Amino acid sequence: MATLAESDLKEALASGGARVATDAETLNLYAHDVFSRGADLAAVVSPVDTASLAAAVKAATDRGLVVIPRGGGMSYTGGYTAPKAGAVVFDTASMSRILEINTTDMTVTIEAGCTWASLYEKLRPMGLRTPFWGSLSGIQATVGGGMSQNAIFWGTGRYGTAVQSCIAMEVVLADGTILKTGSSHARPYGPDLTGLFLADTGALGIKATITMRLINEAKCHGYASFTFTKADGFLGALGEIERAGISTECFGFDPRLNAIRMQRDSLASDAKQLVGMMKKQGSVLKALKEGVKVVTAGRSFIDEASFSMHVMAEAGIQQAADADIAVAREIVAHHGGQEVENTIPKIIRANPFGPLNMMVGPDGERWVPIHGLLPHSRAQACYDAIEALFDANAEQMAEMGVHPGTLMAAVGGAGVVIEPCLYWPDERNPLIDATVEAAHLKKLPVYEHNKEIWNFVQEMKSRLVDLFYEHGATHFQIGRTYRYRDSLEPAADALLMEIKAQLDPKGLMNPGSLGL
């Protein structure tokens, strides 16, 4: 039974029309991100529009309560986990409308809780999309979350990160003020106020609406996959492909992650996704041909001892897409790579927002990625240092059942993201159980929590964060994990602190995020 204080708080937070939850199960779920749990929450607020979001934020901060924004919940860097008990989490996924599609000005305005998958499916019949059009978790990850975290993947090879497709926003500040940034058609107009709130992991305000650029969806596509025996060949080819501007996505896996993926995926799962791929081939004959290729290739064309690379190109005519892939082939050959069947990029592109079963390992292990964005000139040294760290701890990792694998991807105009992932046997948390498909979870073993292994994983994660810092890496979804403020010059850090103080004088807007 709710106390009088709880009833008063719920009434105040709901006064603008928002839904408010204070039951133990909901509070526990929302206290978790993919990796860890924050402090106990006072309430979870689900606003229905910008006005109700602003009213509820004001009601909370007027009472001295910390407010924390949360989108689809797919973060693993503590960006929305409360540092102290009693915070109010704002579940912006409840604000999911597409407000305007302007085909004359080529812009789209959505509420922050709209998922990337929903936006893509709405625009696709119109032959449109945003330049950056989603993360791999886009079936649940939201546009607002992508703007806060600076998401990558779909379109990243050519168009960069999520924030580079943003024009303007409405942001709710700590006192409930609704701030409109930029203009509805051009960014920037004067100093880039929109950019101030991008990639902030919710430290400066809560995103309410986002306006993004639109482009015509490509009509034609090209695909290629390659393997390399050494990291320097892989990274050299990836860098040259990115600089050539010929791919929309260029990514791959080291031998360890290839082995994990081959263990997780199967020809049966390929066949399940094959339907989506075949539907997008344009003709029955072409669809059948592509289907036969997938089944014939099976899963044996990538040696688990190799690095794998997957390249996707797009254009208005097929000859242009094919020409880009031809250039990629020349680049790869120069760096010692070998071409293999291209079924993996085809299937991924045809099913861009699949179920989020990769949140656990192939045997039900816990999973956490740690990443860094590096210029191509420093990528090899950083990768070598990561490998040296794993080699130095190989015995202890084997004893505890902790195993790594690394993803690498080109980021248009910015270099390469290197993302080592750690897998270990451990108890799942409520967010994982609520996100991964129930049928998939039933197939997996269940582990008990092991504090010794957990502490070791935390230590390895911290050492990877420090390693990236030492190599001058930058990061997406900074949250409470990466050493952002340590990387700032004193004058820049002082300016950031002054901005935070101006926008959030009581320190109630997601304190601790960005290190603020």
Side-chain angles (χ1 to χ4, degrees), residues 3 16 21 24 41 79-80 109 144 151 156 201 241 243 246 270 296 304 339 343 356 418 447 489 509:
T3 65
L41 302 173
Y80 65 81
T109 300
T156 288
T201 59
I241 288 170
R243 290 189 294 273
I246 56 175
D270 282 350
T296 302
E304 290 184 3
E339 187 165 10
T343 54
L356 302 179
I418 301 177
Y447 303 98
E489 295 293 329
M509 178 60 69

Side-chain angles (χ1 to χ4, degrees), residues 52 61 138 144 146 149 174 179 213 217 237 252 255 267 269 306 358 361 408 426 470:
S52 66
T61 56
Q149 307 283 34
L179 173 68
R213 290 192 294 121
E217 174 65 288
L267 184 57
S269 66
S306 298
M358 75 285 191
M408 290 166 277
D426 203 348
E470 291 161 5

